[in-house]
Amino acid sequence: MAKTLKKLVSCVILDPDGTLLNTGKTPLEAAAAVVEEYGLPCGKNEFLSELYPVFSAQLCNIKPLPGANRLLKHLSGHGVGEIFSVIVGGDEVTSGKPSPEIFLEAAKRLNREPSSCLVIEDSIPGVTAGKVAGMEVVAVSSVPKQTDLYTPVADEVINSLLDLQPEKWGLPPFPDWIEGTLPTEPWYIGGPVIKGFGRGSKVLGIPTANLSTEDHLSLLSEHPSGVYFGWAGLSTRGVYKMVMSVGWNPCFNNTEKTIEPWLLHEFNEDFYGEELRLLIVGYIRPEVNFSSLESLIAKIHEDRRIAEKALDLPLYSKHKDDPYLNSSLHNESNHA
Ligand code: ADP
Ligand code: RBF
Ligand code: MG
C-alpha cells in the first residue's frame, strides 16, 4: 500500500451520527433524510421501496459501523484524545453543515488550529463543512458505488473505516495489521452453492462459488465491500482456505452486492447445490476498478498468496476447527 504522507494533524473530529453510529431512525425517517441529504430526484417512499433492501440494516440499526470501535480505541490509546475530549452538540451551533461552524467550535474547544484537525465524515455536507473550516477531510463513502461524489472535495475517499491509514496524516498507524491482513470479528455465512454470473472460471480463470444474496441481505449490508478471507467448509468434502470479494465487482459494474469466494483447492468437479459454509476472519483490501482484466487477475492471485500465508498464523488457523464449518445439518441457522 502506498503510504504517502498527506499532512500532519494532531486531532480527529468525527460525527458519531454518520460515521460511528447509525442512530435509531425509523426506516421512513432515515429514507427522508437520505433523499434530502443527497437531493435525490425521488420521494422518500419511492426511495424506501427501491433501496430498502440495500440499506435495511444500515439505515436504522444502532450498531457502530465496522471499524468504529477499533478507531476510537486506537485514538484514545495514543492520547489523540480521550474517547471524545470535547463534544459539540448540533444544538450548540446556529447553522448546521455545510456551515463549518460545528467543526470550528470543536477545534476551538480542542485548542487546535483547524489545519491540524482531521475530520472523518460520511455525508457530503459534512465533507464540505470540514473543508470550509480549513481542515483535512477523509470521506467514508456511505452510498454504495458513489465514491466519486466525494472526490472533488475530500482529501481522501475511503470505502470504510477499515481502510483508514492514520499514518498518512501523521497519526500513529493501527497496530493490528499483520502480514497484509486485518483480523476482523469472525462472521459466518452459508447456504447451497448457486449459479453466479458464469464469469469466474471463464473470464478470469478463477472460479467463485456463489451463495444466494437475497437470503443474506442484512448480513451483506453489515459488511463493507472489499476482499476478505477465511475458511470454507463443504459438507461432504472438507474445510479449505478461502479468499473472496464482497461487493459490486467494479470491474464488471454489477448492480447487486455479491459475495465471491474462491476456495484455495483444486477440485475435479463443480459442486453446485452443495452446502457451503464460510467463516470470514480477516480483511485484505477494498475492491478496485482495475483498468485491465490482467491487472485484476494478478491482484486476485496476490490476494490468494496473502490469504494462504496468513491463514497459517495461529490467530486465523484456530478457526479452522469451528463446528459451523463441519456441521452437515443443512437448515441449521444459528449463525447465518
Ligand atoms: P458461477 O458464475 O456459476 O459462480 P464460476 O465460473 O464462478 O461460475 O465457477 C464457480 C463454480 O465452480 C462453483 O460454483 C463450484 O461449483 C466450482 N468450483 C470448482 N472449483 C472451485 C474453487 N476452487 N472455488 C470455488 N468454486 C469452484
Ligand atoms: N472484482 C473487482 O471488480 N474488483 C476487485 O478488486 C476484485 N477483487 C477480487 C478479489 C478476490 C479474492 C476474488 C475472488 C474476486 C475479486 N473480484 C474483484 C471479483 C471478480 O470480479 C468476480 O469474482 C468475477 O467477476 C466473477 O463474478
Ligand atoms: Mg462465481
Side-chain angles (χ1 to χ4, degrees), residues 235 275 277 323-334:
S235 47
E275 177 77 6
R277 298 285 179 91
Y324 176 74
L325 296 167
N326 294 299
S327 113
S328 50
L329 288 175
H330 282 220
N331 47 14
E332 180 193 72
S333 60
N334 46 341

Side-chain angles (χ1 to χ4, degrees), residues 193-202 206-210 261-263 265 267 269-272:
V193 174
I194 60 163
K195 288 258 175 198
F197 302 102
R199 210 163 47 199
S201 331
K202 277 193 209 99
I206 298 166
T208 54
N210 296 68
W262 182 23
L263 279 54
H265 178 83
F267 294 91
E269 73 250 328
D270 287 344
F271 41 84
Y272 289 109

Side-chain angles (χ1 to χ4, degrees), residues 14-22 37-38 65 97 103 119-127 137-143 150 158 161:
L14 303 144
D15 179 350
D17 243 14
T19 345
L20 302 185
L21 288 173
N22 281 319
E37 183 143 299
Y38 298 100
L65 290 179
K97 300 167 190 171
F103 290 137
V119 168
I120 301 177
E121 254 293 340
D122 77 323
S123 76
I124 289 166
V127 169
V137 180
V138 173
V140 185
S141 167
S142 56
V143 190
Y150 303 83
I158 55 177
L161 289 175

Side-chain angles (χ1 to χ4, degrees), residues 23 41 46 87 115 165 179 196 252 255 292 303-304 306 332:
T23 35
E46 201 184 332
I87 298 174
S115 63
Q165 293 180 268
E179 295 188 10
F252 301 95
T255 52
S292 72
D303 296 330
R304 185 200 64 194
I306 292 172
E332 180 193 72

